[in-house]
């Protein structure tokens, strides 16, 4: 699991940028996000009821904050950027600024102590993602689109840091976190969609195909994998894996939309992979990242 889940994270997380592009063809971001969470919440709530889960006030408060930042804030930024015409690969590129943001925040919080190998790996990965889709920046949705996905990335960064520094009460797993966070995100997007008059779904089969894509791949697969790697390996490692998402998103876009993959993108993928290897490649599979929080219930199981 420790070796396979990060790979699944990269593939499934990057599928979300493609799904946002698919959905933007049929409905505005607020409509897509509302119905994405409506569909996702049903099986999660059914699971929680069937297993008779009990959540205390501390766990609910922690997951609500993470849900607002990591679900509502991040997704709204990415999907709004897709509405404004930002390419899937470019959106993934901007989102890949998260690793150095997380590392910088942890560096400040630790009083300036840092792992030189990790720092070099993060810088190498950043150079790689700039090579992957850097040439597409001039063909995006403009300043507004890049600002939207940038704000979403800051929101996800904040969620990662909160999850790392706010100890989780024992006895809860990834499914518990998903259930609470998605209910909170659903409430947020329901309020936004109703306020903007965008709650009604379009009568378009392509819209529901996009919703199915978004629920199965990035919602359960991508974010579930993200929480697992965060719990077991820490914030720097889970963020470093996201360096591989721009190249993977470019492959998704090539398959789905026939967008060409350039030579500099292929070179960038190799550079980004080298950066990720520098951060996580020398770790033992069962090693805990030095910047990770105390082991949670999920990591003890």
């Amino acid at each position: 699991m420790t070796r396979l889940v990060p790979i699944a994270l990269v593939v499934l997380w990057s599928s979300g940028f493609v799904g946002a592009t698919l959905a933007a063809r049929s409905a505005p971001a607020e409509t897509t996000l509302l119905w994405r969470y409506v569909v996702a919440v049903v099986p999660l709530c059914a699971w929680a009821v069937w297993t008779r889960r009990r959540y205390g006030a501390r766990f609910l408060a922690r997951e609500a904050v993470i849900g607002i930042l990591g679900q509502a804030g991040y997704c709204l930024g990415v999907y709004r950027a897709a509405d404004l015409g930002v390419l899937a690969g470019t959106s993934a590129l901007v989102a890949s600024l998260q690793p150095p943001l997380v590392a910088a925040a942890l560096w400040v919080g630790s009083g300036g102590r840092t792992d030189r190998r990790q720092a070099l790996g993060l810088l190498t990965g950043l150079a790689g993602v700039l090579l992957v889709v850097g040439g597409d920046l001039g063909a995006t949705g403009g300043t507004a689109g890049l600002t939207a996905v940038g704000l979403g990335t800051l929101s996800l960064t904040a969620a990662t840091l909160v999850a790392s520094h706010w100890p989780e009460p024992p006895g809860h797993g990834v499914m518990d976190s998903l259930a609470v966070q998605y209910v909170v995100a659903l409430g947020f997007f329901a309020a936004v969609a109703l306020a903007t008059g965008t709650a009604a779904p379009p009568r378009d089969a392509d819209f529901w195909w996009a919703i199915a894509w978004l629920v199965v791949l990035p919602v359960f697969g991508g974010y579930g994998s993200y929480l697992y790697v965060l719990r077991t390996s820490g914030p720097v490692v889970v963020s470093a894996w996201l360096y591989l998402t721009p190249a993977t998103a470019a492959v998704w876009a090539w398959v789905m939309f026939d967008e060409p993959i350039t030579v500099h993108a292929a070179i960038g993928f190799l550079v980004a992979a080298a950066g990720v290897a520098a951060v996580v490649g020398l770790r033992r599979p069962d090693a805990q990242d030095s910047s990770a929080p105390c082991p949670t219930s999920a990591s003890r199981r």
Side-chain angles (χ1 to χ4, degrees), residues 1-279:
M1 288 290 289
T2 305
R3 293 175 177 176
L4 293 178
V5 173
I7 298 174
L9 165 64
V10 172
V11 175
L12 296 172
W13 190 274
S14 60
S15 72
F17 299 103
V18 176
T21 301
L22 284 172
R25 299 176 174 182
S26 303
E30 295 80 3
T31 306
T32 299
L33 288 166
L34 169 61
W35 288 98
R36 175 198 193 197
Y37 283 99
V38 166
V39 174
V41 158
V42 172
L44 286 170
C45 287
W47 171 84
V49 171
W50 180 65
T51 55
R52 299 182 180 181
R53 308 300 289 176
R54 297 289 184 269
Y55 304 133
R58 286 180 56 202
F59 179 76
L60 290 174
R62 177 184 185 272
E63 298 305 321
V65 172
I66 296 172
I68 289 294
L69 294 172
Q71 294 287 334
Y74 174 67
C75 290
L76 185 59
V78 170
Y79 283 65
R80 173 55 60 198
D83 279 356
L84 294 171
V86 177
L87 299 177
T90 303
S91 188
L93 166 66
V94 177
S96 290
L97 296 175
Q98 191 217 12
L101 290 174
V102 169
L106 292 173
W107 180 77
V108 172
S110 66
R113 297 190 306 273
T114 186
D115 184 318
R116 291 184 179 179
R117 178 175 57 82
Q118 285 191 343
L120 178 60
L122 291 171
L123 291 174
T124 303
L126 179 60
V129 297
L130 291 173
L131 284 172
V132 172
V133 288
D136 295 333
L137 290 177
T140 64
T143 303
L146 294 177
T147 300
V149 69
L151 291 175
T153 300
L154 290 175
S155 188
L156 179 62
T157 301
T160 303
L161 295 172
V162 168
S164 302
H165 290 88
W166 189 343
E168 181 189 52
H172 302 293
V174 172
M175 288 291 289
D176 297 305
S177 296
L178 290 177
V180 178
Q181 291 179 27
Y182 285 13
V183 168
V184 170
L186 172 59
F188 174 85
F189 287 118
V192 171
L194 290 172
T196 56
T198 56
R203 297 179 179 179
D204 186 348
D206 290 340
F207 172 78
W208 294 108
W209 155 243
I211 293 296
W213 174 285
L214 290 167
V215 169
V216 174
L217 298 181
V219 168
F220 288 117
Y223 197 68
S225 300
Y226 185 88
L227 290 179
Y228 180 87
V229 178
L230 175 62
R231 289 165 181 254
T232 56
S233 300
V236 172
V237 171
V238 72
S239 299
W241 280 107
L242 298 186
Y243 271 145
L244 300 182
T245 57
T248 310
V251 174
W252 275 113
W254 171 64
V255 173
M256 301 290 295
F257 311 127
D258 200 28
E259 294 181 7
I261 299 178
T262 62
V263 174
H264 77 269
I267 296 174
F269 176 80
L270 296 176
V271 174
V276 174
V279 176

